[in-house]
């Protein structure tokens, strides 16, 4: 599997993958209206470009010419020595094959190079991805409800993993 660093021209790939992965991921957790609202907020072409320009790094997993997942992350999150993982998503048909772990490992290695001490992320409290994060060494360190407008709420856990050179 290859990891591609996405630039502006590759943002449409992320947009497309998100629109395939989000509905099955969140159909039992969020209303269709909230899924549409969040996809627009986080994945419209304008929003993705703004994230890239504001220092979010985007990576894409590619296998045999097919794109199977993506992640985004930001160093020095809130001016601390932390990497915030903003997004990590793998196509349903390729989940469970090690792609998510490979994306986390990549971000962890880049974080070591940048001397970040911690990976941090938010995950919906009802998302089974919590199990994946626990498996890859994250621990729940907080609970956060975030009002994202239009009457919608994100009901999250904060999960963190110390960055370690031995992983
Ligand atoms: C969560 C996600 C990124 C994990 O990626 P993946 O490629 O499916 O996971 P991997 O195959 O790399 O799994 C790595 C390890 O975690 C375990 N794992 C994966 N999903 C798990 C789960 N839901 N619960 C418990 N363990 C899990 C795997 O069994 C594997 O363990 P092993 O090393 O002992 O074999 C992926 O399933 C996904 O995109 N889910 C839908 C989108 C989503 O919820 N993203 C997170 C938003 S915060």
């Amino acid at each position: 599997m290859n990891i591609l660093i996405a630039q502006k021209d590759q943002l449409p790939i992320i947009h497309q993958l998100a629109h395939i992965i989000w509905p099955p991921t969140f159909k039992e957790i969020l209303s269709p209206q909230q899924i549409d609202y969040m996809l627009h907020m986080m994945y419209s072409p304008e929003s993705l470009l703004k994230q890239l320009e504001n220092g979010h790094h985007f990576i894409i997993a590619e296998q045999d010419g097919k794109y199977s997942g993506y992640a985004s992350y930001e160093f020095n999150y809130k001016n601390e020595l932390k990497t915030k993982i903003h997004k990590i998503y793998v196509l349903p048909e390729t989940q469970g094959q090690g792609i998510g772990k490979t994306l986390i490992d990549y971000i962890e290695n880049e974080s070591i190079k940048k001397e970040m001490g911690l990976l941090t992320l938010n995950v919906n409290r009802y998302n089974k991805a919590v199990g994946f994060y626990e498996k890859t060494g994250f621990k729940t360190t907080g609970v956060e409800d975030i009002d994202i407008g239009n009457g919608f709420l994100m009901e999250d856990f904060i999960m963190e993993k110390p960055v370690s050179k031995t992983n």
Side-chain angles (χ1 to χ4, degrees):
M1 194 196 90
N2 300 310
I3 300 224
L4 314 176
I5 298 168
Q7 305 297 345
K8 194 178 160 189
D9 288 350
Q10 283 80 45
L11 293 179
I13 298 169
I14 310 250
H15 175 92
Q16 200 178 5
L17 286 170
H19 283 76
I20 298 170
I21 303 169
W22 267 58
T25 299
F26 292 112
K27 69 176 189 299
E28 277 148 28
I29 305 176
L30 305 175
S31 67
Q33 292 79 6
Q34 181 160 352
I35 293 174
D36 283 351
Y37 180 81
M38 290 179 72
L39 275 172
H40 179 73
M41 184 173 83
M42 298 171 179
Y43 291 95
S44 70
E46 302 74 30
S47 171
L48 285 172
L49 185 59
K50 207 173 194 181
Q51 291 162 43
L52 188 71
E53 288 170 351
N54 287 338
H56 294 205
H57 299 267
F58 288 85
I59 52 175
I60 299 173
E62 181 263 343
Q63 259 177 325
D64 306 324
K66 292 191 185 136
Y67 304 119
S68 48
Y70 63 90
S72 79
Y73 55 96
E74 180 185 2
F75 299 126
N76 294 306
Y77 181 63
K78 294 193 172 166
N79 287 321
E80 292 182 42
L81 293 176
K82 291 182 181 181
T83 302
K84 168 88 171 193
I85 300 179
H86 287 286
K87 313 181 195 300
I88 174 164
Y89 290 87
V90 175
L91 280 175
E93 65 266 30
T94 57
Q95 288 172 11
Q97 298 176 11
I99 297 170
K101 167 100 170 58
T102 305
L103 291 167
I104 294 276
D105 287 348
Y106 179 91
I107 296 169
E108 189 163 348
N109 283 327
E110 292 302 300
S111 298
I112 290 169
K113 288 187 210 160
K114 295 280 182 189
E115 303 192 337
M116 297 296 114
L118 198 73
L119 305 180
T120 183
L121 57 83
N122 276 45
V123 56
N124 185 290
R125 296 200 279 279
Y126 308 100
N127 188 343
K128 57 188 181 192
V130 169
F132 162 76
Y133 294 127
E134 285 168 346
K135 194 75 201 267
T136 51
F138 286 80
K139 291 205 162 40
T140 302
T141 57
V143 175
E144 193 170 32
D145 286 342
I146 305 169
D147 184 341
I148 53 168
N150 261 32
F152 298 129
L153 206 58
M154 296 203 305
E155 301 175 301
D156 289 350
F157 283 135
I158 300 167
M159 297 188 77
E160 297 186 324
K161 177 183 184 182
V163 167
S164 146
K165 284 185 187 164
T166 52
N167 283 343

